Every structure is written in structure tokens, then in C-alpha cells.
Amino acid sequence: MSFPVTTLEPGTFTPAELEGETDRLFRALMSVDCEPGRRWDYAACRRIAPLTLEINRLKREQNAVILAHSYVEPEIIYGVGDFKGDSYFLSLKARESKADKIVFAGVVFMAETAKILSPHATVVVPDRGSGCSLADSITGADVRRLKGLYPDAAVVCYINSTAEVKAESDVCVTSGNVYDIIAQLPQSRILFVPDRLMADNVRAELKRRGVGKEIIASDGTCIVHDRFTAADVAAARAKFPGLRVVAHPECTAEVAAVADYVGSTGGMMKYVKNTPAPYFLMLTECGLVGRLQVEDPEKRFIGGCRLCPYMKLNSLEKVRQALATPRPDQIVTLDDDLRRRAAHAIERMFELTPKP
Ligand code: 13P
Ligand code: SF4
């Protein structure tokens, strides 16, 4: 991580506004590492204050909101984000939103989901290159071919998929509701796309629950989560007695089997906040550790998390530019028929998600 450089002219904001904003940023970010071995300090917060003030002003002027996934940089989440969280939470917020514009600081499939659920808003992405190895692993045409091979199967897509893939699916799921939704489906055969490793975790969890389903999976993996190994976990446990291991269901089933908790990024945060333990190993993207450093600064993390190169394409500079003067490639557009079909799979997800 590195400090963003502001290009604003000095003097755009008053000294009092800049001081107030710097204080606000410093209070939020002071417990976060901004680079290995370096924490956000007052001077670093002062450097980005003109940028966060400008973005927050643009939001007010344009009736815009910023939805920020927990994996993006903490200066985006806490500096300018209106809603922060996991894919499920952010899709609910997009659906409820009355904003004219939504900036999605995350990856493109998440912004597409926001457009599907909030079609009247202009949805923009800071960087069109923010793909996802899962979403990019399968096309709508691939799903149609698979449906031809397994016509009796329910088609379940993980939310990390394109609008085209969602449009071909019976129901969408997230890491937080995947087991509960699949368990409720009447079909005994499930075609699950695009995460092969999550499919392994679904098989294991449904077996544990005594639910008999045949899960057929496509071959995508997350390039962040597929690298963690059970040997890493064993080595960390030997070095840090009392360690709690917290994993995302995009990890392999071998890793999930040796973790203390497996769940969505939102679930992982809740688990850490509610668990007294000397150390935690987070088998996920490092942004989640940044969020916990802000919201639960007493907790100790032993490293091990990894960076998602797509999420890290987001920056405050790009957020400002996308709000102020979005290029056509930054504006999410969807064919209306495709959007309606994709919305159907997501609305079915909301219906089948157990209410807390
Ligand atoms: P969550 O829905 O758990 O936030 O996961 C999104 C994601 O991309 C994980 O890699
Ligand atoms: Fe996609 Fe993995 Fe990045 Fe999540 S962490 S956005 S699944 S590549």
C-alpha cells in the first residue's frame, strides 16, 4: 500500500476544514498499517484530506453514494465510503439506494450487481480493469452449454459472476448464504458456478448437515484464496499457541477443515470481534485485516493474508475522477432484458436467505 498523491490545488478548502478532516481521518486510520512497518500518521492524513473533502463534496452535490467492499484500501472505506461490507450487505444497500449515482469501490461484478438492483442510478467503477478471477472464469454461453448437459439441475451462481452468468441462473448466492440456500432447493442436482473450491466446501457442509445433493461445479478459483494451504495453517499453529484461524469459503476444503471459522468477510469480522484469542490468522484478502485494525485495534494478526490485485486497483484519486468526470468505460451499462433475468436470480437469493 502507498499514500495516494493529491493533485488538488492548495487553498480549495479552508485551513479549519482541512484540520477537521485530518483529525477525522487520523482518528479512523491511526491503527492501520499503510505500508509494511508504517502506520498512518497525522502528516499522511493531512496529505489526503483535500482529496477526501473533495470527494465528499462531490457526493453531496451529485446525490451520490460510495459502496466500498471490505477489501479496498481503508482510506477509501473510512475516508469516503458510505456503506462498507461484504457482497451481500452491499447488494442490499444498492437495492435500497435512492441515490442518483453509485460509485462502487470493489470489483466490476459487484458494480454490475448494484446496477442490476438499482437500475435508475448511474453506477460507476473507479477502474474498469478490476475484474475477478472467478467472475472471469465462465461466460453465459458456457453456462448454457452446461445446462444442456444437466437439464434437471438447479443452476446456482456465486455472486462473484458476471450479469450474463446470473441471467442464466435460477438463484444467486453469496459466501454468507450459500449453504442455507442450496439446502432449501427442491432439486437434488445442483450446477454450481463458478467456484470449484467453494463447491467442495458446499459438499462438505451439506454432508455435515445430512442434506443429500449432487453438486456439479465449473472450474474457477479465486487467485487470492486458492493459494492458502493446510501446511501454512499447521506451521502457524505450531509457532503461535492459541492462534485462531479464520478462512473464507473460497479456500480449499483442506484449509477449511483445519480453520476455526469459515465464512463470508462479514462473518469473519464478526467472529474475530467476538472471540478472545491471542492471535488470529486471516486466510483472506489483507483489506479485511485493515478493517479489523480500525474497528478492533486490540486484536493481533500474524500476517498471512494476501492482496487481491483487482481490489487494489481502487484509489481515492480514481474515485474522485469517476465521480467528477466518468469516462464511458467507467459507467456500467446492461441490456434491459439481461438485467431483468439477472435480477430474478438475485431477488430469489434475497427470498431464500434466512432472516436474522
Ligand atoms: P464476501 O462476499 O465474503 O465479501 O466475498 C467477496 C469476495 O470477493 C471474496 O474474495
Ligand atoms: Fe475475485 Fe478473489 Fe479478488 Fe475476491 S479476492 S474479488 S474472489 S479475485
Side-chain angles (χ1 to χ4, degrees):
M1 295 184 212
S2 59
F3 293 127
V5 177
T6 170
T7 54
L8 276 184
E9 292 301 318
T12 308
F13 296 99
T14 64
E17 284 174 317
L18 287 165
E19 193 184 331
E21 182 68 350
T22 306
D23 283 347
R24 183 183 78 83
L25 291 167
F26 184 60
R27 275 197 305 277
L29 299 174
M30 63 190 187
S31 51
V32 185
D33 297 326
C34 53
E35 289 169 358
R38 183 160 174 224
R39 295 225 150 157
W40 280 91
D41 56 20
Y42 200 80
C45 293
R46 173 64 185 78
R47 273 197 293 278
I48 64 164
L51 200 44
T52 55
L53 279 170
E54 174 71 0
I55 292 168
N56 287 323
R57 184 171 71 189
L58 285 165
K59 279 187 338 197
R60 286 191 297 276
E61 287 169 3
Q62 300 187 12
N63 186 29
V65 291
I66 298 183
L67 306 187
H69 189 268
S70 296
Y71 289 164
V72 302
E73 301 286 12
E75 66 269 25
I76 299 178
I77 296 176
Y78 297 100
V80 299
D82 295 292
F83 298 102
K84 49 187 176 293
D86 62 16
S87 307
Y88 185 77
F89 175 78
L90 294 176
S91 51
L92 275 179
K93 291 295 152 195
R95 188 182 183 225
E96 289 166 11
S97 173
K98 301 273 182 287
D100 294 321
K101 190 184 263 188
I102 295 174
V103 180
F104 211 115
V107 290
V108 170
F109 80 77
M110 295 178 178
E112 271 191 353
T113 306
K115 181 69 184 174
I116 293 165
L117 295 169
S118 196
H120 304 297
T122 300
V123 177
V124 298
V125 286
D127 193 313
R128 192 74 205 194
S130 54
C132 164
S133 62
L134 282 171
D136 298 342
S137 71
I138 190 165
T139 65
D142 295 332
V143 180
R144 284 193 292 278
R145 262 192 303 279
L146 286 167
K147 280 161 61 163
L149 293 174
Y150 303 100
D152 59 329
V155 182
V156 178
C157 66
Y158 183 32
I159 198 163
N160 293 39
S161 55
T162 59
E164 245 195 17
V165 166
K166 289 184 176 82
E168 294 296 335
S169 303
D170 296 310
V171 60
C172 176
V173 296
T174 69
S175 50
N177 55 28
V178 53
Y179 311 126
D180 290 332
I181 289 181
I182 292 183
Q184 288 177 69
L185 296 176
Q187 294 89 338
S188 57
R189 181 178 265 183
I190 308 293
L191 181 53
F192 184 77
V193 294
D195 191 341
R196 170 169 59 82
L197 301 182
M198 187 175 283
D200 291 341
N201 285 312
V202 170
R203 277 187 208 101
E205 176 61 20
L206 294 185
K207 189 168 173 204
R208 202 186 59 78
R209 294 185 185 192
V211 178
K213 300 268 182 213
E214 182 191 1
I215 312 284
I216 297 151
S218 66
D219 196 24
T221 64
C222 163
I223 55 166
V224 174
H225 293 88
D226 68 2
R227 312 280 154 93
F228 299 118
T229 67
D232 298 336
V233 174
R237 285 200 193 278
K239 212 163 151 195
F240 294 95
L243 178 74
R244 294 297 176 104
V245 178
V246 186
H248 195 275
E250 291 168 11
C251 294
T252 66
E254 292 72 34
V255 166
V258 294
D260 297 296
Y261 176 84
V262 182
S264 67
T265 54
M268 294 165 94
M269 280 196 71
K270 248 187 232 143
Y271 174 82
V272 172
K273 287 181 179 182
N274 295 331
T275 305
Y279 300 102
F280 293 87
L281 171 63
M282 304 299 287
L283 299 179
T284 192
E285 214 278 345
C286 294
L288 203 67
V289 175
R291 278 208 61 190
L292 285 159
Q293 285 174 328
V294 171
E295 296 187 19
D296 198 352
E298 300 302 309
K299 295 280 161 57
R300 294 284 162 262
F301 302 94
I302 64 159
C305 63
R306 296 175 54 87
L307 296 178
C308 170
Y310 307 109
M311 289 281 181
K312 266 36 196 187
L313 289 173
N314 290 276
S315 68
L316 283 176
E317 278 290 1
K318 291 181 194 174
V319 168
R320 184 184 65 142
Q321 178 270 317
L323 257 178
T325 51
R327 297 185 306 271
D329 69 284
Q330 290 173 303
I331 301 173
V332 177
T333 54
L334 292 171
D335 167 83
D336 204 48
D337 176 58
L338 180 93
R339 189 200 68 74
R340 278 177 216 279
R341 289 192 294 127
H344 182 262
I346 304 175
E347 291 298 340
R348 183 110 193 271
M349 168 179 83
F350 290 130
E351 279 160 35
L352 294 180
T353 300
K355 306 296 169 276

PDB file of all heavy atoms in Angstrom, residues 69 71 85-88 107 109-110 132 134 158-160 174-176 222 225 248 250 263-266 284 311, ligand 1:
ATOM      1  N   HIS A  69     -16.280  -2.287  -0.745  1.00  0.00           N
ATOM      2  CA  HIS A  69     -16.072  -3.640  -0.226  1.00  0.00           C
ATOM      3  C   HIS A  69     -14.929  -3.601   0.794  1.00  0.00           C
ATOM      4  O   HIS A  69     -14.001  -2.795   0.685  1.00  0.00           O
ATOM      5  CB  HIS A  69     -15.744  -4.627  -1.361  1.00  0.00           C
ATOM      6  CG  HIS A  69     -15.737  -6.039  -0.880  1.00  0.00           C
ATOM      7  ND1 HIS A  69     -14.595  -6.657  -0.432  1.00  0.00           N
ATOM      8  CD2 HIS A  69     -16.745  -6.940  -0.717  1.00  0.00           C
ATOM      9  CE1 HIS A  69     -14.912  -7.896  -0.029  1.00  0.00           C
ATOM     10  NE2 HIS A  69     -16.199  -8.083  -0.195  1.00  0.00           N
ATOM     11  N   TYR A  71     -12.381  -5.198   1.143  1.00  0.00           N
ATOM     12  CA  TYR A  71     -11.021  -5.452   0.660  1.00  0.00           C
ATOM     13  C   TYR A  71     -10.326  -4.212   0.101  1.00  0.00           C
ATOM     14  O   TYR A  71      -9.142  -4.267  -0.199  1.00  0.00           O
ATOM     15  CB  TYR A  71     -11.041  -6.505  -0.464  1.00  0.00           C
ATOM     16  CG  TYR A  71     -11.354  -7.925  -0.062  1.00  0.00           C
ATOM     17  CD1 TYR A  71     -11.710  -8.856  -1.040  1.00  0.00           C
ATOM     18  CD2 TYR A  71     -11.284  -8.360   1.246  1.00  0.00           C
ATOM     19  CE1 TYR A  71     -11.986 -10.181  -0.718  1.00  0.00           C
ATOM     20  CE2 TYR A  71     -11.575  -9.683   1.574  1.00  0.00           C
ATOM     21  CZ  TYR A  71     -11.918 -10.577   0.591  1.00  0.00           C
ATOM     22  OH  TYR A  71     -12.193 -11.886   0.908  1.00  0.00           O
ATOM     23  N   GLY A  85     -18.736  -3.289   3.542  1.00  0.00           N
ATOM     24  CA  GLY A  85     -19.101  -4.624   3.990  1.00  0.00           C
ATOM     25  C   GLY A  85     -18.860  -5.671   2.945  1.00  0.00           C
ATOM     26  O   GLY A  85     -18.057  -5.487   2.021  1.00  0.00           O
ATOM     27  N   ASP A  86     -19.590  -6.784   3.086  1.00  0.00           N
ATOM     28  CA  ASP A  86     -19.393  -7.914   2.166  1.00  0.00           C
ATOM     29  C   ASP A  86     -20.364  -7.797   0.992  1.00  0.00           C
ATOM     30  O   ASP A  86     -21.182  -6.868   0.918  1.00  0.00           O
ATOM     31  CB  ASP A  86     -19.500  -9.250   2.906  1.00  0.00           C
ATOM     32  CG  ASP A  86     -20.864  -9.506   3.542  1.00  0.00           C
ATOM     33  OD1 ASP A  86     -21.845  -8.825   3.182  1.00  0.00           O
ATOM     34  OD2 ASP A  86     -20.948 -10.403   4.398  1.00  0.00           O
ATOM     35  N   SER A  87     -20.275  -8.750   0.084  1.00  0.00           N
ATOM     36  CA  SER A  87     -21.064  -8.655  -1.149  1.00  0.00           C
ATOM     37  C   SER A  87     -22.562  -8.644  -0.861  1.00  0.00           C
ATOM     38  O   SER A  87     -23.320  -7.940  -1.527  1.00  0.00           O
ATOM     39  CB  SER A  87     -20.776  -9.859  -2.056  1.00  0.00           C
ATOM     40  OG  SER A  87     -19.419  -9.995  -2.259  1.00  0.00           O
ATOM     41  N   TYR A  88     -22.985  -9.428   0.123  1.00  0.00           N
ATOM     42  CA  TYR A  88     -24.418  -9.499   0.416  1.00  0.00           C
ATOM     43  C   TYR A  88     -24.923  -8.155   0.941  1.00  0.00           C
ATOM     44  O   TYR A  88     -25.904  -7.594   0.445  1.00  0.00           O
ATOM     45  CB  TYR A  88     -24.717 -10.616   1.422  1.00  0.00           C
ATOM     46  CG  TYR A  88     -26.198 -10.786   1.652  1.00  0.00           C
ATOM     47  CD1 TYR A  88     -26.979 -11.441   0.710  1.00  0.00           C
ATOM     48  CD2 TYR A  88     -26.824 -10.267   2.783  1.00  0.00           C
ATOM     49  CE1 TYR A  88     -28.352 -11.578   0.888  1.00  0.00           C
ATOM     50  CE2 TYR A  88     -28.186 -10.398   2.970  1.00  0.00           C
ATOM     51  CZ  TYR A  88     -28.944 -11.059   2.022  1.00  0.00           C
ATOM     52  OH  TYR A  88     -30.305 -11.192   2.198  1.00  0.00           O
ATOM     53  N   VAL A 107     -15.016  -4.530  -7.123  1.00  0.00           N
ATOM     54  CA  VAL A 107     -14.664  -5.054  -8.450  1.00  0.00           C
ATOM     55  C   VAL A 107     -15.902  -4.993  -9.355  1.00  0.00           C
ATOM     56  O   VAL A 107     -17.021  -4.780  -8.876  1.00  0.00           O
ATOM     57  CB  VAL A 107     -14.063  -6.479  -8.367  1.00  0.00           C
ATOM     58  CG1 VAL A 107     -12.681  -6.441  -7.725  1.00  0.00           C
ATOM     59  CG2 VAL A 107     -14.974  -7.431  -7.636  1.00  0.00           C
ATOM     60  N   PHE A 109     -17.852  -7.026 -11.037  1.00  0.00           N
ATOM     61  CA  PHE A 109     -19.090  -7.805 -10.888  1.00  0.00           C
ATOM     62  C   PHE A 109     -19.962  -7.226  -9.779  1.00  0.00           C
ATOM     63  O   PHE A 109     -21.192  -7.325  -9.816  1.00  0.00           O
ATOM     64  CB  PHE A 109     -18.802  -9.306 -10.677  1.00  0.00           C
ATOM     65  CG  PHE A 109     -18.413  -9.689  -9.268  1.00  0.00           C
ATOM     66  CD1 PHE A 109     -19.363  -9.803  -8.264  1.00  0.00           C
ATOM     67  CD2 PHE A 109     -17.089  -9.933  -8.941  1.00  0.00           C
ATOM     68  CE1 PHE A 109     -19.008 -10.156  -6.961  1.00  0.00           C
ATOM     69  CE2 PHE A 109     -16.726 -10.284  -7.647  1.00  0.00           C
ATOM     70  CZ  PHE A 109     -17.688 -10.391  -6.664  1.00  0.00           C
ATOM     71  N   MET A 110     -19.336  -6.609  -8.762  1.00  0.00           N
ATOM     72  CA  MET A 110     -20.116  -6.017  -7.666  1.00  0.00           C
ATOM     73  C   MET A 110     -20.868  -4.775  -8.167  1.00  0.00           C
ATOM     74  O   MET A 110     -22.023  -4.538  -7.805  1.00  0.00           O
ATOM     75  CB  MET A 110     -19.188  -5.636  -6.514  1.00  0.00           C
ATOM     76  CG  MET A 110     -18.521  -6.832  -5.862  1.00  0.00           C
ATOM     77  SD  MET A 110     -17.395  -6.336  -4.535  1.00  0.00           S
ATOM     78  CE  MET A 110     -16.853  -7.973  -3.992  1.00  0.00           C
ATOM     79  N   CYS A 132     -12.139 -10.133 -11.660  1.00  0.00           N
ATOM     80  CA  CYS A 132     -12.140 -11.108 -10.569  1.00  0.00           C
ATOM     81  C   CYS A 132     -11.879 -12.441 -11.251  1.00  0.00           C
ATOM     82  O   CYS A 132     -12.535 -12.764 -12.256  1.00  0.00           O
ATOM     83  CB  CYS A 132     -13.503 -11.099  -9.884  1.00  0.00           C
ATOM     84  SG  CYS A 132     -13.791 -12.540  -8.832  1.00  0.00           S
ATOM     85  N   LEU A 134     -12.671 -15.332 -10.491  1.00  0.00           N
ATOM     86  CA  LEU A 134     -13.856 -16.194 -10.514  1.00  0.00           C
ATOM     87  C   LEU A 134     -14.841 -15.722 -11.579  1.00  0.00           C
ATOM     88  O   LEU A 134     -15.249 -16.492 -12.446  1.00  0.00           O
ATOM     89  CB  LEU A 134     -14.538 -16.181  -9.144  1.00  0.00           C
ATOM     90  CG  LEU A 134     -13.892 -17.039  -8.065  1.00  0.00           C
ATOM     91  CD1 LEU A 134     -14.525 -16.771  -6.708  1.00  0.00           C
ATOM     92  CD2 LEU A 134     -14.014 -18.512  -8.416  1.00  0.00           C
ATOM     93  N   TYR A 158     -22.593 -18.263  -7.779  1.00  0.00           N
ATOM     94  CA  TYR A 158     -21.989 -17.449  -6.727  1.00  0.00           C
ATOM     95  C   TYR A 158     -22.047 -16.008  -7.221  1.00  0.00           C
ATOM     96  O   TYR A 158     -21.921 -15.752  -8.429  1.00  0.00           O
ATOM     97  CB  TYR A 158     -20.548 -17.941  -6.542  1.00  0.00           C
ATOM     98  CG  TYR A 158     -19.748 -17.274  -5.443  1.00  0.00           C
ATOM     99  CD1 TYR A 158     -20.341 -16.804  -4.277  1.00  0.00           C
ATOM    100  CD2 TYR A 158     -18.359 -17.147  -5.573  1.00  0.00           C
ATOM    101  CE1 TYR A 158     -19.581 -16.209  -3.277  1.00  0.00           C
ATOM    102  CE2 TYR A 158     -17.592 -16.563  -4.578  1.00  0.00           C
ATOM    103  CZ  TYR A 158     -18.212 -16.085  -3.441  1.00  0.00           C
ATOM    104  OH  TYR A 158     -17.454 -15.497  -2.468  1.00  0.00           O
ATOM    105  N   ILE A 159     -22.218 -15.065  -6.310  1.00  0.00           N
ATOM    106  CA  ILE A 159     -22.362 -13.653  -6.712  1.00  0.00           C
ATOM    107  C   ILE A 159     -21.120 -13.158  -7.470  1.00  0.00           C
ATOM    108  O   ILE A 159     -21.205 -12.220  -8.254  1.00  0.00           O
ATOM    109  CB  ILE A 159     -22.708 -12.769  -5.482  1.00  0.00           C
ATOM    110  CG1 ILE A 159     -23.280 -11.428  -5.946  1.00  0.00           C
ATOM    111  CG2 ILE A 159     -21.492 -12.606  -4.572  1.00  0.00           C
ATOM    112  CD1 ILE A 159     -24.011 -10.657  -4.866  1.00  0.00           C
ATOM    113  N   ASN A 160     -19.964 -13.817  -7.252  1.00  0.00           N
ATOM    114  CA  ASN A 160     -18.751 -13.456  -7.999  1.00  0.00           C
ATOM    115  C   ASN A 160     -18.866 -13.999  -9.421  1.00  0.00           C
ATOM    116  O   ASN A 160     -18.174 -14.927  -9.836  1.00  0.00           O
ATOM    117  CB  ASN A 160     -17.496 -14.045  -7.321  1.00  0.00           C
ATOM    118  CG  ASN A 160     -17.210 -13.424  -5.979  1.00  0.00           C
ATOM    119  OD1 ASN A 160     -18.130 -13.146  -5.219  1.00  0.00           O
ATOM    120  ND2 ASN A 160     -15.941 -13.196  -5.677  1.00  0.00           N
ATOM    121  N   THR A 174     -24.286 -15.906  -1.985  1.00  0.00           N
ATOM    122  CA  THR A 174     -23.027 -15.283  -1.551  1.00  0.00           C
ATOM    123  C   THR A 174     -22.345 -16.239  -0.568  1.00  0.00           C
ATOM    124  O   THR A 174     -22.934 -17.255  -0.151  1.00  0.00           O
ATOM    125  CB  THR A 174     -23.253 -13.933  -0.838  1.00  0.00           C
ATOM    126  OG1 THR A 174     -23.891 -14.198   0.416  1.00  0.00           O
ATOM    127  CG2 THR A 174     -24.097 -12.982  -1.665  1.00  0.00           C
ATOM    128  N   SER A 175     -21.142 -15.851  -0.156  1.00  0.00           N
ATOM    129  CA  SER A 175     -20.404 -16.689   0.788  1.00  0.00           C
ATOM    130  C   SER A 175     -21.147 -16.815   2.119  1.00  0.00           C
ATOM    131  O   SER A 175     -20.907 -17.738   2.882  1.00  0.00           O
ATOM    132  CB  SER A 175     -19.011 -16.093   1.019  1.00  0.00           C
ATOM    133  OG  SER A 175     -19.137 -14.716   1.332  1.00  0.00           O
ATOM    134  N   GLY A 176     -22.069 -15.880   2.396  1.00  0.00           N
ATOM    135  CA  GLY A 176     -22.780 -15.901   3.677  1.00  0.00           C
ATOM    136  C   GLY A 176     -24.047 -16.749   3.672  1.00  0.00           C
ATOM    137  O   GLY A 176     -24.547 -17.116   4.743  1.00  0.00           O
ATOM    138  N   CYS A 222     -10.526 -18.544  -6.921  1.00  0.00           N
ATOM    139  CA  CYS A 222     -10.064 -17.198  -6.572  1.00  0.00           C
ATOM    140  C   CYS A 222      -8.546 -17.248  -6.433  1.00  0.00           C
ATOM    141  O   CYS A 222      -8.026 -18.047  -5.640  1.00  0.00           O
ATOM    142  CB  CYS A 222     -10.714 -16.751  -5.260  1.00  0.00           C
ATOM    143  SG  CYS A 222      -9.821 -15.362  -4.531  1.00  0.00           S
ATOM    144  N   HIS A 225      -7.513 -16.741  -2.656  1.00  0.00           N
ATOM    145  CA  HIS A 225      -7.813 -17.767  -1.647  1.00  0.00           C
ATOM    146  C   HIS A 225      -7.325 -19.160  -2.011  1.00  0.00           C
ATOM    147  O   HIS A 225      -7.177 -20.004  -1.131  1.00  0.00           O
ATOM    148  CB  HIS A 225      -9.322 -17.793  -1.381  1.00  0.00           C
ATOM    149  CG  HIS A 225      -9.817 -16.546  -0.716  1.00  0.00           C
ATOM    150  ND1 HIS A 225     -10.223 -15.430  -1.415  1.00  0.00           N
ATOM    151  CD2 HIS A 225      -9.936 -16.222   0.591  1.00  0.00           C
ATOM    152  CE1 HIS A 225     -10.588 -14.481  -0.572  1.00  0.00           C
ATOM    153  NE2 HIS A 225     -10.428 -14.931   0.652  1.00  0.00           N
ATOM    154  N   HIS A 248     -12.044 -17.976   4.473  1.00  0.00           N
ATOM    155  CA  HIS A 248     -13.173 -17.695   3.575  1.00  0.00           C
ATOM    156  C   HIS A 248     -13.504 -18.990   2.826  1.00  0.00           C
ATOM    157  O   HIS A 248     -12.598 -19.766   2.518  1.00  0.00           O
ATOM    158  CB  HIS A 248     -12.766 -16.580   2.596  1.00  0.00           C
ATOM    159  CG  HIS A 248     -13.925 -15.977   1.876  1.00  0.00           C
ATOM    160  ND1 HIS A 248     -14.446 -16.515   0.720  1.00  0.00           N
ATOM    161  CD2 HIS A 248     -14.678 -14.873   2.153  1.00  0.00           C
ATOM    162  CE1 HIS A 248     -15.469 -15.765   0.327  1.00  0.00           C
ATOM    163  NE2 HIS A 248     -15.633 -14.758   1.165  1.00  0.00           N
ATOM    164  N   GLU A 250     -13.879 -19.540  -0.132  1.00  0.00           N
ATOM    165  CA  GLU A 250     -13.175 -19.673  -1.421  1.00  0.00           C
ATOM    166  C   GLU A 250     -11.843 -20.408  -1.246  1.00  0.00           C
ATOM    167  O   GLU A 250     -11.154 -20.678  -2.225  1.00  0.00           O
ATOM    168  CB  GLU A 250     -12.923 -18.291  -2.035  1.00  0.00           C
ATOM    169  CG  GLU A 250     -14.188 -17.603  -2.496  1.00  0.00           C
ATOM    170  CD  GLU A 250     -13.984 -16.137  -2.839  1.00  0.00           C
ATOM    171  OE1 GLU A 250     -12.828 -15.690  -2.926  1.00  0.00           O
ATOM    172  OE2 GLU A 250     -14.998 -15.434  -3.005  1.00  0.00           O
ATOM    173  N   GLY A 263     -16.280 -18.461   6.798  1.00  0.00           N
ATOM    174  CA  GLY A 263     -17.479 -17.694   6.455  1.00  0.00           C
ATOM    175  C   GLY A 263     -17.168 -16.511   5.579  1.00  0.00           C
ATOM    176  O   GLY A 263     -16.016 -16.296   5.173  1.00  0.00           O
ATOM    177  N   SER A 264     -18.206 -15.737   5.305  1.00  0.00           N
ATOM    178  CA  SER A 264     -18.075 -14.540   4.464  1.00  0.00           C
ATOM    179  C   SER A 264     -17.163 -13.533   5.156  1.00  0.00           C
ATOM    180  O   SER A 264     -16.873 -13.660   6.356  1.00  0.00           O
ATOM    181  CB  SER A 264     -19.449 -13.907   4.276  1.00  0.00           C
ATOM    182  OG  SER A 264     -19.894 -13.394   5.523  1.00  0.00           O
ATOM    183  N   THR A 265     -16.761 -12.499   4.428  1.00  0.00           N
ATOM    184  CA  THR A 265     -15.902 -11.494   5.061  1.00  0.00           C
ATOM    185  C   THR A 265     -16.639 -10.829   6.229  1.00  0.00           C
ATOM    186  O   THR A 265     -16.020 -10.529   7.251  1.00  0.00           O
ATOM    187  CB  THR A 265     -15.426 -10.448   4.036  1.00  0.00           C
ATOM    188  OG1 THR A 265     -16.573  -9.896   3.362  1.00  0.00           O
ATOM    189  CG2 THR A 265     -14.475 -11.057   3.019  1.00  0.00           C
ATOM    190  N   GLY A 266     -17.956 -10.648   6.076  1.00  0.00           N
ATOM    191  CA  GLY A 266     -18.733 -10.076   7.181  1.00  0.00           C
ATOM    192  C   GLY A 266     -18.737 -11.022   8.377  1.00  0.00           C
ATOM    193  O   GLY A 266     -18.556 -10.600   9.529  1.00  0.00           O
ATOM    194  N   THR A 284      -7.503 -14.702   3.978  1.00  0.00           N
ATOM    195  CA  THR A 284      -8.328 -13.903   3.074  1.00  0.00           C
ATOM    196  C   THR A 284      -7.507 -12.719   2.584  1.00  0.00           C
ATOM    197  O   THR A 284      -6.286 -12.678   2.764  1.00  0.00           O
ATOM    198  CB  THR A 284      -9.633 -13.463   3.783  1.00  0.00           C
ATOM    199  OG1 THR A 284     -10.525 -12.944   2.819  1.00  0.00           O
ATOM    200  CG2 THR A 284      -9.381 -12.425   4.865  1.00  0.00           C
ATOM    201  N   MET A 311      -8.881  -5.679  -6.493  1.00  0.00           N
ATOM    202  CA  MET A 311      -9.403  -4.745  -5.484  1.00  0.00           C
ATOM    203  C   MET A 311      -8.432  -3.582  -5.289  1.00  0.00           C
ATOM    204  O   MET A 311      -8.844  -2.450  -5.049  1.00  0.00           O
ATOM    205  CB  MET A 311      -9.583  -5.477  -4.145  1.00  0.00           C
ATOM    206  CG  MET A 311     -10.726  -6.467  -4.142  1.00  0.00           C
ATOM    207  SD  MET A 311     -12.287  -5.584  -3.941  1.00  0.00           S
ATOM    208  CE  MET A 311     -13.439  -6.972  -3.949  1.00  0.00           C
TER     209      MET A 311
HETATM  210  P1  13P B   1     -17.609 -11.646   0.519  1.00  0.00           P
HETATM  211  O1  13P B   1     -18.944 -11.645  -0.102  1.00  0.00           O
HETATM  212  O2  13P B   1     -17.470 -12.660   1.620  1.00  0.00           O
HETATM  213  O3  13P B   1     -17.251 -10.273   0.966  1.00  0.00           O
HETATM  214  O4  13P B   1     -16.535 -12.120  -0.556  1.00  0.00           O
HETATM  215  C1  13P B   1     -16.274 -11.423  -1.719  1.00  0.00           C
HETATM  216  C2  13P B   1     -15.018 -11.824  -2.329  1.00  0.00           C
HETATM  217  O5  13P B   1     -14.683 -11.412  -3.424  1.00  0.00           O
HETATM  218  C3  13P B   1     -14.167 -12.760  -1.607  1.00  0.00           C
HETATM  219  O6  13P B   1     -12.995 -12.964  -2.293  1.00  0.00           O
END
